Amino acid sequence: MPFNFALKLGYALANFLWLFVPKKRKILAQENIQKCLGVDKKESVRIAKVSAVNLGSILIEVLMFPVLKNTMQSHVKIIGLEYLQNYIKSAERNGRGAVIATSHSDNWELMGGAFAQNGIPLVGVAKKQKSDGADKFINEYRTLIGMHITYRSGVREMYKMLDEGHFIGLIMDQDVGRNDGVVVKFFNRATNYVTGAAAMSRFKGVPIFPAFMHKNFDGTHTLEIQPPVFVERTDDKRADIYKMTQYLATLTENHIRKYPEEWFWLHDRWKSMRTEFSPEEIVELNKKLSIN
């Protein structure tokens, strides 16, 4: 199919499937949008729907990876690619890789392909799908576009590939269990946040490159890479990781505020805070984080 027609078809299909999203999930997304962005109910309903319907175009772009592989330069404009290229050429790299920290904004699958097609040896960290067939399918397409894929459980492989010069792509904004994250301030709310990027950077002494993508009016995308940051290494490991995690959370929040329709609001981002922390603990955390 012509590319633009395929995108419109994906959008129409997702728009239809929106009717079948459980009401409870829609309300959860709308309430989080109101709390985070301070918008009224009508605007929260609009943002929630647009955010979900965008999944249609995301799916189509993934299915068209065989085409986009040859046209990536024109489909995704990259700002700040020189930061990665300069690091690759630098003496201080000493053959090691780095961490790329991003979020579920715009088409995160396409982002990985854009890195790979521009010469960045990217390792995508994926969640294993429940269906073996679906898992095999998506990983075949990720590999086709130039990515290497490892699962979240493959921590040893990630560290090994860092030593070999690969760039580990980590999506930071999903909710994690209480024992797997650290509570930071995110949209003026106490939020359990994944520490993988900060912990990996500190342990290996490699930089973190924050990177976020947004969609342009013509259907193309802009990927913005920020200058590298390093985790401070003091005697207080937990404080070092917390400080960088809070920094990355703030960067992510700023990007979402700029492009709210492109973040995946249907994800139950604050589930662990509801189910694994007592009201008394949350009060204390709010005080610590200076949250009103």
PDB file of all heavy atoms in Angstrom, residues 73-96:
ATOM      1  N   GLN A  73      16.248   7.906   6.621  1.00  0.00           N
ATOM      2  CA  GLN A  73      16.838   9.245   6.722  1.00  0.00           C
ATOM      3  C   GLN A  73      15.797  10.329   6.485  1.00  0.00           C
ATOM      4  O   GLN A  73      15.847  11.389   7.125  1.00  0.00           O
ATOM      5  CB  GLN A  73      17.984   9.401   5.709  1.00  0.00           C
ATOM      6  CG  GLN A  73      19.024   8.298   5.743  1.00  0.00           C
ATOM      7  CD  GLN A  73      19.849   8.311   7.016  1.00  0.00           C
ATOM      8  OE1 GLN A  73      19.991   9.332   7.651  1.00  0.00           O
ATOM      9  NE2 GLN A  73      20.398   7.159   7.381  1.00  0.00           N
ATOM     10  N   SER A  74      14.869  10.088   5.570  1.00  0.00           N
ATOM     11  CA  SER A  74      13.853  11.097   5.274  1.00  0.00           C
ATOM     12  C   SER A  74      12.646  10.980   6.195  1.00  0.00           C
ATOM     13  O   SER A  74      11.910  11.952   6.379  1.00  0.00           O
ATOM     14  CB  SER A  74      13.391  10.972   3.813  1.00  0.00           C
ATOM     15  OG  SER A  74      12.835   9.684   3.571  1.00  0.00           O
ATOM     16  N   HIS A  75      12.434   9.806   6.779  1.00  0.00           N
ATOM     17  CA  HIS A  75      11.257   9.606   7.638  1.00  0.00           C
ATOM     18  C   HIS A  75      11.507  10.050   9.081  1.00  0.00           C
ATOM     19  O   HIS A  75      10.577  10.463   9.766  1.00  0.00           O
ATOM     20  CB  HIS A  75      10.837   8.133   7.615  1.00  0.00           C
ATOM     21  CG  HIS A  75       9.482   7.893   8.203  1.00  0.00           C
ATOM     22  ND1 HIS A  75       8.330   8.426   7.652  1.00  0.00           N
ATOM     23  CD2 HIS A  75       9.084   7.190   9.300  1.00  0.00           C
ATOM     24  CE1 HIS A  75       7.292   8.052   8.378  1.00  0.00           C
ATOM     25  NE2 HIS A  75       7.719   7.309   9.373  1.00  0.00           N
ATOM     26  N   VAL A  76      12.740   9.946   9.552  1.00  0.00           N
ATOM     27  CA  VAL A  76      13.080  10.359  10.916  1.00  0.00           C
ATOM     28  C   VAL A  76      14.270  11.313  10.873  1.00  0.00           C
ATOM     29  O   VAL A  76      15.385  10.917  10.525  1.00  0.00           O
ATOM     30  CB  VAL A  76      13.419   9.142  11.815  1.00  0.00           C
ATOM     31  CG1 VAL A  76      13.767   9.613  13.231  1.00  0.00           C
ATOM     32  CG2 VAL A  76      12.254   8.156  11.862  1.00  0.00           C
ATOM     33  N   LYS A  77      14.024  12.550  11.218  1.00  0.00           N
ATOM     34  CA  LYS A  77      15.095  13.536  11.309  1.00  0.00           C
ATOM     35  C   LYS A  77      15.708  13.453  12.700  1.00  0.00           C
ATOM     36  O   LYS A  77      14.999  13.475  13.706  1.00  0.00           O
ATOM     37  CB  LYS A  77      14.545  14.947  11.070  1.00  0.00           C
ATOM     38  CG  LYS A  77      15.584  16.047  11.247  1.00  0.00           C
ATOM     39  CD  LYS A  77      14.955  17.422  11.110  1.00  0.00           C
ATOM     40  CE  LYS A  77      15.982  18.514  11.363  1.00  0.00           C
ATOM     41  NZ  LYS A  77      15.369  19.875  11.288  1.00  0.00           N
ATOM     42  N   ILE A  78      17.021  13.339  12.762  1.00  0.00           N
ATOM     43  CA  ILE A  78      17.697  13.212  14.059  1.00  0.00           C
ATOM     44  C   ILE A  78      18.460  14.491  14.378  1.00  0.00           C
ATOM     45  O   ILE A  78      19.280  14.958  13.587  1.00  0.00           O
ATOM     46  CB  ILE A  78      18.658  12.013  14.078  1.00  0.00           C
ATOM     47  CG1 ILE A  78      17.901  10.715  13.781  1.00  0.00           C
ATOM     48  CG2 ILE A  78      19.351  11.926  15.436  1.00  0.00           C
ATOM     49  CD1 ILE A  78      18.757   9.474  13.835  1.00  0.00           C
ATOM     50  N   ILE A  79      18.168  15.037  15.538  1.00  0.00           N
ATOM     51  CA  ILE A  79      18.888  16.205  16.047  1.00  0.00           C
ATOM     52  C   ILE A  79      19.784  15.741  17.197  1.00  0.00           C
ATOM     53  O   ILE A  79      19.313  15.104  18.141  1.00  0.00           O
ATOM     54  CB  ILE A  79      17.912  17.279  16.558  1.00  0.00           C
ATOM     55  CG1 ILE A  79      17.013  17.780  15.416  1.00  0.00           C
ATOM     56  CG2 ILE A  79      18.668  18.445  17.195  1.00  0.00           C
ATOM     57  CD1 ILE A  79      15.924  18.725  15.858  1.00  0.00           C
ATOM     58  N   GLY A  80      21.061  16.029  17.102  1.00  0.00           N
ATOM     59  CA  GLY A  80      21.982  15.638  18.168  1.00  0.00           C
ATOM     60  C   GLY A  80      22.673  14.308  17.936  1.00  0.00           C
ATOM     61  O   GLY A  80      23.311  13.774  18.850  1.00  0.00           O
ATOM     62  N   LEU A  81      22.585  13.767  16.721  1.00  0.00           N
ATOM     63  CA  LEU A  81      23.265  12.502  16.418  1.00  0.00           C
ATOM     64  C   LEU A  81      24.766  12.617  16.633  1.00  0.00           C
ATOM     65  O   LEU A  81      25.433  11.646  16.982  1.00  0.00           O
ATOM     66  CB  LEU A  81      22.974  12.078  14.976  1.00  0.00           C
ATOM     67  CG  LEU A  81      23.572  10.745  14.514  1.00  0.00           C
ATOM     68  CD1 LEU A  81      23.036   9.581  15.337  1.00  0.00           C
ATOM     69  CD2 LEU A  81      23.286  10.524  13.017  1.00  0.00           C
ATOM     70  N   GLU A  82      25.288  13.823  16.472  1.00  0.00           N
ATOM     71  CA  GLU A  82      26.733  14.035  16.638  1.00  0.00           C
ATOM     72  C   GLU A  82      27.209  13.723  18.052  1.00  0.00           C
ATOM     73  O   GLU A  82      28.374  13.385  18.246  1.00  0.00           O
ATOM     74  CB  GLU A  82      27.114  15.472  16.254  1.00  0.00           C
ATOM     75  CG  GLU A  82      26.575  16.547  17.181  1.00  0.00           C
ATOM     76  CD  GLU A  82      25.175  17.026  16.806  1.00  0.00           C
ATOM     77  OE1 GLU A  82      24.538  16.371  15.952  1.00  0.00           O
ATOM     78  OE2 GLU A  82      24.729  18.040  17.372  1.00  0.00           O
ATOM     79  N   TYR A  83      26.322  13.820  19.031  1.00  0.00           N
ATOM     80  CA  TYR A  83      26.724  13.478  20.403  1.00  0.00           C
ATOM     81  C   TYR A  83      27.140  12.010  20.488  1.00  0.00           C
ATOM     82  O   TYR A  83      28.148  11.662  21.115  1.00  0.00           O
ATOM     83  CB  TYR A  83      25.584  13.743  21.387  1.00  0.00           C
ATOM     84  CG  TYR A  83      25.208  15.194  21.537  1.00  0.00           C
ATOM     85  CD1 TYR A  83      23.888  15.607  21.406  1.00  0.00           C
ATOM     86  CD2 TYR A  83      26.173  16.169  21.819  1.00  0.00           C
ATOM     87  CE1 TYR A  83      23.533  16.944  21.542  1.00  0.00           C
ATOM     88  CE2 TYR A  83      25.822  17.508  21.964  1.00  0.00           C
ATOM     89  CZ  TYR A  83      24.504  17.885  21.814  1.00  0.00           C
ATOM     90  OH  TYR A  83      24.156  19.210  21.953  1.00  0.00           O
ATOM     91  N   LEU A  84      26.348  11.160  19.844  1.00  0.00           N
ATOM     92  CA  LEU A  84      26.667   9.728  19.826  1.00  0.00           C
ATOM     93  C   LEU A  84      27.893   9.454  18.958  1.00  0.00           C
ATOM     94  O   LEU A  84      28.770   8.672  19.329  1.00  0.00           O
ATOM     95  CB  LEU A  84      25.477   8.925  19.306  1.00  0.00           C
ATOM     96  CG  LEU A  84      24.174   9.013  20.101  1.00  0.00           C
ATOM     97  CD1 LEU A  84      23.086   8.203  19.414  1.00  0.00           C
ATOM     98  CD2 LEU A  84      24.358   8.525  21.517  1.00  0.00           C
ATOM     99  N   GLN A  85      27.941  10.084  17.814  1.00  0.00           N
ATOM    100  CA  GLN A  85      29.060   9.860  16.889  1.00  0.00           C
ATOM    101  C   GLN A  85      30.383  10.319  17.493  1.00  0.00           C
ATOM    102  O   GLN A  85      31.408   9.640  17.341  1.00  0.00           O
ATOM    103  CB  GLN A  85      28.783  10.583  15.577  1.00  0.00           C
ATOM    104  CG  GLN A  85      27.598  10.009  14.809  1.00  0.00           C
ATOM    105  CD  GLN A  85      27.201  10.845  13.616  1.00  0.00           C
ATOM    106  OE1 GLN A  85      27.398  12.060  13.600  1.00  0.00           O
ATOM    107  NE2 GLN A  85      26.621  10.209  12.606  1.00  0.00           N
ATOM    108  N   ASN A  86      30.356  11.455  18.170  1.00  0.00           N
ATOM    109  CA  ASN A  86      31.580  11.958  18.808  1.00  0.00           C
ATOM    110  C   ASN A  86      32.034  11.038  19.928  1.00  0.00           C
ATOM    111  O   ASN A  86      33.233  10.825  20.129  1.00  0.00           O
ATOM    112  CB  ASN A  86      31.359  13.372  19.345  1.00  0.00           C
ATOM    113  CG  ASN A  86      31.204  14.403  18.244  1.00  0.00           C
ATOM    114  OD1 ASN A  86      31.599  14.170  17.104  1.00  0.00           O
ATOM    115  ND2 ASN A  86      30.612  15.535  18.565  1.00  0.00           N
ATOM    116  N   TYR A  87      31.065  10.488  20.657  1.00  0.00           N
ATOM    117  CA  TYR A  87      31.428   9.559  21.734  1.00  0.00           C
ATOM    118  C   TYR A  87      32.047   8.289  21.165  1.00  0.00           C
ATOM    119  O   TYR A  87      33.040   7.768  21.704  1.00  0.00           O
ATOM    120  CB  TYR A  87      30.192   9.222  22.568  1.00  0.00           C
ATOM    121  CG  TYR A  87      30.440   8.136  23.600  1.00  0.00           C
ATOM    122  CD1 TYR A  87      31.269   8.366  24.692  1.00  0.00           C
ATOM    123  CD2 TYR A  87      29.860   6.873  23.463  1.00  0.00           C
ATOM    124  CE1 TYR A  87      31.515   7.368  25.627  1.00  0.00           C
ATOM    125  CE2 TYR A  87      30.090   5.881  24.394  1.00  0.00           C
ATOM    126  CZ  TYR A  87      30.925   6.130  25.474  1.00  0.00           C
ATOM    127  OH  TYR A  87      31.173   5.143  26.392  1.00  0.00           O
ATOM    128  N   ILE A  88      31.487   7.793  20.076  1.00  0.00           N
ATOM    129  CA  ILE A  88      32.017   6.577  19.458  1.00  0.00           C
ATOM    130  C   ILE A  88      33.468   6.774  19.032  1.00  0.00           C
ATOM    131  O   ILE A  88      34.308   5.874  19.145  1.00  0.00           O
ATOM    132  CB  ILE A  88      31.142   6.171  18.253  1.00  0.00           C
ATOM    133  CG1 ILE A  88      29.782   5.654  18.741  1.00  0.00           C
ATOM    134  CG2 ILE A  88      31.827   5.101  17.402  1.00  0.00           C
ATOM    135  CD1 ILE A  88      28.799   5.350  17.633  1.00  0.00           C
ATOM    136  N   LYS A  89      33.790   7.976  18.563  1.00  0.00           N
ATOM    137  CA  LYS A  89      35.149   8.269  18.090  1.00  0.00           C
ATOM    138  C   LYS A  89      36.101   8.645  19.216  1.00  0.00           C
ATOM    139  O   LYS A  89      37.322   8.672  19.014  1.00  0.00           O
ATOM    140  CB  LYS A  89      35.110   9.426  17.086  1.00  0.00           C
ATOM    141  CG  LYS A  89      34.316   9.130  15.827  1.00  0.00           C
ATOM    142  CD  LYS A  89      34.219  10.379  14.960  1.00  0.00           C
ATOM    143  CE  LYS A  89      33.344  10.148  13.739  1.00  0.00           C
ATOM    144  NZ  LYS A  89      33.178  11.398  12.953  1.00  0.00           N
ATOM    145  N   SER A  90      35.593   8.948  20.394  1.00  0.00           N
ATOM    146  CA  SER A  90      36.415   9.503  21.468  1.00  0.00           C
ATOM    147  C   SER A  90      37.326   8.457  22.110  1.00  0.00           C
ATOM    148  O   SER A  90      37.001   7.264  22.160  1.00  0.00           O
ATOM    149  CB  SER A  90      35.532  10.124  22.551  1.00  0.00           C
ATOM    150  OG  SER A  90      34.764   9.127  23.203  1.00  0.00           O
ATOM    151  N   ALA A  91      38.447   8.931  22.621  1.00  0.00           N
ATOM    152  CA  ALA A  91      39.404   8.044  23.285  1.00  0.00           C
ATOM    153  C   ALA A  91      38.864   7.561  24.623  1.00  0.00           C
ATOM    154  O   ALA A  91      39.119   6.421  25.033  1.00  0.00           O
ATOM    155  CB  ALA A  91      40.728   8.784  23.496  1.00  0.00           C
ATOM    156  N   GLU A  92      38.099   8.418  25.327  1.00  0.00           N
ATOM    157  CA  GLU A  92      37.602   8.037  26.650  1.00  0.00           C
ATOM    158  C   GLU A  92      36.563   6.920  26.584  1.00  0.00           C
ATOM    159  O   GLU A  92      36.243   6.300  27.598  1.00  0.00           O
ATOM    160  CB  GLU A  92      37.003   9.242  27.386  1.00  0.00           C
ATOM    161  CG  GLU A  92      35.837   9.917  26.714  1.00  0.00           C
ATOM    162  CD  GLU A  92      36.252  11.087  25.839  1.00  0.00           C
ATOM    163  OE1 GLU A  92      37.416  11.115  25.376  1.00  0.00           O
ATOM    164  OE2 GLU A  92      35.422  11.973  25.612  1.00  0.00           O
ATOM    165  N   ARG A  93      36.043   6.667  25.382  1.00  0.00           N
ATOM    166  CA  ARG A  93      35.099   5.565  25.247  1.00  0.00           C
ATOM    167  C   ARG A  93      35.761   4.234  25.600  1.00  0.00           C
ATOM    168  O   ARG A  93      35.157   3.375  26.216  1.00  0.00           O
ATOM    169  CB  ARG A  93      34.558   5.523  23.818  1.00  0.00           C
ATOM    170  CG  ARG A  93      33.548   4.410  23.613  1.00  0.00           C
ATOM    171  CD  ARG A  93      33.217   4.233  22.147  1.00  0.00           C
ATOM    172  NE  ARG A  93      32.254   3.158  21.946  1.00  0.00           N
ATOM    173  CZ  ARG A  93      32.055   2.536  20.809  1.00  0.00           C
ATOM    174  NH1 ARG A  93      32.753   2.879  19.735  1.00  0.00           N
ATOM    175  NH2 ARG A  93      31.170   1.562  20.705  1.00  0.00           N
ATOM    176  N   ASN A  94      36.995   4.076  25.168  1.00  0.00           N
ATOM    177  CA  ASN A  94      37.763   2.869  25.474  1.00  0.00           C
ATOM    178  C   ASN A  94      37.021   1.595  25.071  1.00  0.00           C
ATOM    179  O   ASN A  94      37.049   0.584  25.776  1.00  0.00           O
ATOM    180  CB  ASN A  94      38.089   2.830  26.979  1.00  0.00           C
ATOM    181  CG  ASN A  94      39.222   1.866  27.297  1.00  0.00           C
ATOM    182  OD1 ASN A  94      40.066   1.591  26.450  1.00  0.00           O
ATOM    183  ND2 ASN A  94      39.234   1.343  28.515  1.00  0.00           N
ATOM    184  N   GLY A  95      36.334   1.668  23.941  1.00  0.00           N
ATOM    185  CA  GLY A  95      35.658   0.488  23.407  1.00  0.00           C
ATOM    186  C   GLY A  95      34.309   0.184  24.017  1.00  0.00           C
ATOM    187  O   GLY A  95      33.630  -0.752  23.592  1.00  0.00           O
ATOM    188  N   ARG A  96      33.904   0.946  25.024  1.00  0.00           N
ATOM    189  CA  ARG A  96      32.644   0.651  25.705  1.00  0.00           C
ATOM    190  C   ARG A  96      31.470   1.332  25.011  1.00  0.00           C
ATOM    191  O   ARG A  96      31.624   2.259  24.248  1.00  0.00           O
ATOM    192  CB  ARG A  96      32.714   1.107  27.159  1.00  0.00           C
ATOM    193  CG  ARG A  96      33.764   0.387  27.998  1.00  0.00           C
ATOM    194  CD  ARG A  96      33.862   1.007  29.379  1.00  0.00           C
ATOM    195  NE  ARG A  96      34.191   2.437  29.282  1.00  0.00           N
ATOM    196  CZ  ARG A  96      34.186   3.264  30.315  1.00  0.00           C
ATOM    197  NH1 ARG A  96      33.859   2.829  31.513  1.00  0.00           N
ATOM    198  NH2 ARG A  96      34.512   4.537  30.156  1.00  0.00           N
TER     199      ARG A  96
END
